[in-house]
């Protein structure tokens, strides 16, 4: 793990955007793993700025999003497809057919998971996977559990996750109860991972992610097993390189 700490979120957003832009400039047909939530909004804005300045093109790039709500129409502004269009895809030159978000409205969600994994397998591996983190240590929508799935699958959202995401909806009742998410296998299969963590309220879960035991009860702690993880944060945390 490499930990980069920033004094403010604007610098963090710029650095995270620059890392993604560098990956695409080095490999124009890069496969990018994309994330949603409040965390990446600022860095997507920075990517759009650089695109508008002619510093990067996404014409050959492909994207795979981590997850999507189940049963929320993609026309709903809080669907992750709508989020990605609004925050990134509509403002850059990526080809629509090269952007992939799991279909949370598929009649057969298990079949949709298999279809998504097949595409990832055929077009991947992901060169750079962007991740945020939930307060309980979830990544994508892989919630804490006694075991975690390797493949793209349907999950029941934890009460605390629905509570955290309530801010994007009119009420808790409107927050979907289920989602479809890339599994831990697909996430850990990425060649490199960029974990972005913002806000002091996430300092404790980030510390446990970096320094605590590797446990399925904190899915993000499995990132300790990956050889190329870059963490960018404004949290006051350390990455301990030894027991003492
Ligand atoms: C959401 C997403 C995650 C995201 C996390 C944190 O539910 N499924 O991909 O990283 O929760 O979101 P935020 O950045 O809004 O705190």
């Amino acid at each position: 793990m490499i930990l980069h700490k920033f004094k403010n979120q604007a610098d963090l957003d710029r650095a995270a955007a620059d890392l993604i832009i560098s990956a695409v400039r080095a490999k124009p047909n890069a496969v990018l793993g994309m994330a949603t939530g409040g965390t990446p909004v600022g860095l997507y804005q920075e990517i759009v700025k650089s695109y508008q300045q002619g510093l990067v093109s996404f014409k050959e790039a492909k994207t795979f999003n981590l997850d999507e709500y189940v049963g929320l129409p993609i026309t709903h502004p809080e669907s992750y497809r709508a989020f990605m269009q609004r925050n990134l895809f509509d403002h850059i030159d990526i080809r629509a057919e090269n952007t992939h978000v799991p279909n949370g409205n598929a009649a057969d969600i298990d079949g949709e998971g298999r279809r998504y994994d097949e595409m990832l397998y055929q077009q991947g591996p992901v060169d750079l996977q962007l991740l945020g983190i939930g307060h309980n240590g979830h990544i994508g929508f892989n919630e804490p559990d006694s075991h975690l799935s390797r493949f793209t699958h349907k999950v029941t959202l934890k009460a605390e996750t629905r509570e955290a995401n309530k801010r994007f909806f009119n009420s808790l009742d409107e927050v979907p109860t289920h989602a479809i998410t890339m599994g831990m296998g697909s996430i850990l299969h990425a060649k490199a991972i960029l974990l972005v963590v913002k806000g002091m309220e996430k300092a404790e879960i980030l510390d446990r992610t970096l320094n605590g035991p590797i446990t399925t009860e904190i899915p993000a702690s499995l990132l300790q097993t990956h050889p190329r993880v870059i963490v960018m944060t404004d949290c006051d945390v350390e990455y301990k390189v030894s027991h003492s």
Side-chain angles (χ1 to χ4, degrees), residues 34-41 66-69 80 83 130-136 138-143 157 161-162 164-165 167-168 179 181 195-198 201-202:
M34 308 312 265
T36 53
T39 302
V41 171
L66 285 164
D67 48 14
E68 178 60 282
Y69 289 114
Y80 286 167
F83 172 101
L130 173 64
L131 293 178
I133 189 172
H135 290 89
N136 61 7
H138 74 237
I139 47 179
F141 267 133
N142 292 278
E143 295 278 36
L157 299 178
T161 298
R162 294 186 64 236
N165 288 1
R167 68 193 197 279
F168 298 117
T181 183
L195 172 65
V196 178
V197 183
K198 289 179 176 174
E201 71 280 2
K202 287 194 177 162

Side-chain angles (χ1 to χ4, degrees), residues 20 23-24 30-34 58 61-65 126-128:
I20 294 168
V24 176
V31 180
L32 302 172
M34 308 312 265
F58 294 86
K62 292 177 183 165
T63 62
F64 283 87
N65 264 76
V126 167
D127 291 291
L128 181 60

